[in-house]
Amino acid sequence: MLVLLPPSEGKASSGRGAPLKLESLSLPELTGAREAVLAELVELCAGDEGKAREVLGLSEGLRGEVAKNTELRTAGVRPAGEIYTGVLYDALDLASLDPAAKRRATRSLLVFSGLWGAVRVTDRIPSYRCSMGVRLPALGALGAHWRAPMADAMAEAAGGGLVLDLRSSAYAAAWKPKGETAGRTATVRVLHAPTRKVVSHFNKATKGRIVRSLLSSGAAPKGPAELVEALRDLGYEVEAQAPARSGTAWALDVLVDEIH
């Protein structure tokens, strides 16, 4: 099972000690594309701060994020699973998983990123600010920048098993499963059961809890249909829509009574 996650907008501070080593990150096919984004991002943020904030979509109050990006090559690093914070990652709570579940997380979780393309939770990275929706002056839209290199990298990363796609639309732009891979991919919406309305903030928390439940239980669904059964066994109310045609993903709705 491969679980695709969005990053968090807010991030923990960088680590101490040794700086980033791009060549050490997972999915080495992405190294060239990572270097291109990293180089332009550092140069942009080391120049005109106002322009950098405009490009990155940052308010005056977040000017410190621009300064942080200038130090990406020299800042200390820490595991991506510690860098990413926020609602989904708080609910997932990687640090409190038992050893077996942590090993499953290392194998199964892939976090998409505007700067790195995608990383494993054990990949050591500095704190940064660069969403997938950014359009850099030279490289252009990052979603488009990542499509070709991600297509090559994901062919191997997706393997032959289930792909659970929990990314937001901005990050889904970097890679879209096609053909046979799409047929074993499932996306998830979280709906408020009484109203059948999509929840927003609590969507992330529920998705974090779903991933934690799967990792903690040791469930190993081979495909979307088995995923539906596994989630129901774990106590989730799930409605599934199998694809009407080949080459498209399954759509799962997880229903919650309380929005918390």
Side-chain angles (χ1 to χ4, degrees), residues 70-116:
T70 67
E71 301 173 350
L72 287 172
R73 294 191 185 276
T74 57
V77 294
R78 60 199 297 187
E82 297 177 12
I83 289 287
Y84 295 119
T85 59
V87 176
L88 187 153
Y89 291 90
D90 286 348
L92 174 53
D93 195 7
L94 287 167
S96 70
L97 290 172
D98 65 53
K102 286 181 178 178
R103 289 192 294 272
R104 287 189 283 270
T106 298
R107 295 192 302 267
S108 301
L109 305 187
L110 196 62
V111 184
F112 273 61
S113 161
L115 176 53
W116 316 116

Side-chain angles (χ1 to χ4, degrees), residues 2-222:
L2 181 68
V3 182
L4 310 182
L5 298 174
S8 58
E9 187 171 300
K11 298 173 182 68
S13 60
S14 294
R16 297 179 179 179
L20 172 71
K21 294 182 180 180
L22 274 183
E23 67 277 7
S24 73
L25 300 181
S26 301
L27 307 183
E29 305 94 328
L30 301 179
T31 301
R34 287 167 174 155
E35 174 58 38
V37 179
L38 178 63
E40 185 172 358
L41 183 62
V42 170
E43 181 179 4
L44 171 70
C45 292
D48 185 328
E49 182 199 278
K51 180 180 179 181
R53 284 197 292 108
E54 180 182 358
V55 170
L56 297 176
L58 302 177
S59 66
E60 172 71 22
L62 292 173
R63 60 191 306 172
E65 298 293 278
V66 175
K68 182 168 66 175
N69 281 349
T70 67
E71 301 173 350
L72 287 172
R73 294 191 185 276
T74 57
V77 294
R78 60 199 297 187
E82 297 177 12
I83 289 287
Y84 295 119
T85 59
V87 176
L88 187 153
Y89 291 90
D90 286 348
L92 174 53
D93 195 7
L94 287 167
S96 70
L97 290 172
D98 65 53
K102 286 181 178 178
R103 289 192 294 272
R104 287 189 283 270
T106 298
R107 295 192 302 267
S108 301
L109 305 187
L110 196 62
V111 184
F112 273 61
S113 161
L115 176 53
W116 316 116
V119 291
R120 301 283 185 182
V121 292
T122 50
D123 283 332
R124 300 182 68 83
I125 58 174
S127 186
Y128 67 97
R129 190 64 173 254
C130 184
S131 71
M132 191 65 79
V134 163
R135 179 182 292 273
L136 292 175
L139 287 178
L142 290 180
H145 169 76
W146 284 112
R147 279 181 204 134
M150 286 301 301
D152 293 336
M154 290 301 296
E156 179 176 352
L162 168 70
V163 177
L164 175 54
D165 189 353
L166 302 179
R167 298 173 296 165
S168 57
S169 58
Y171 291 90
W175 178 72
K176 182 178 180 180
K178 299 179 180 178
E180 182 269 337
T181 303
R184 48 187 170 84
T185 297
T187 62
V188 172
R189 293 190 308 173
V190 180
L191 303 181
H192 185 215
T195 64
R196 283 303 198 272
K197 291 183 178 179
V198 177
V199 299
S200 53
H201 174 83
F202 304 99
N203 166 62
K204 296 178 181 179
T206 301
K207 287 180 177 178
R209 287 193 285 268
I210 285 172
V211 176
R212 182 179 178 86
S213 296
L214 290 168
L215 295 173
S216 297
S217 69
K222 302 298 184 183

Side-chain angles (χ1 to χ4, degrees), residues 221-247:
K222 302 298 184 183
E226 293 84 355
L227 173 63
V228 172
E229 294 308 311
L231 290 176
R232 287 173 177 164
D233 288 345
L234 289 167
Y236 293 94
E237 185 178 355
V238 183
E239 294 178 351
Q241 182 177 344
R245 53 187 174 83
S246 62

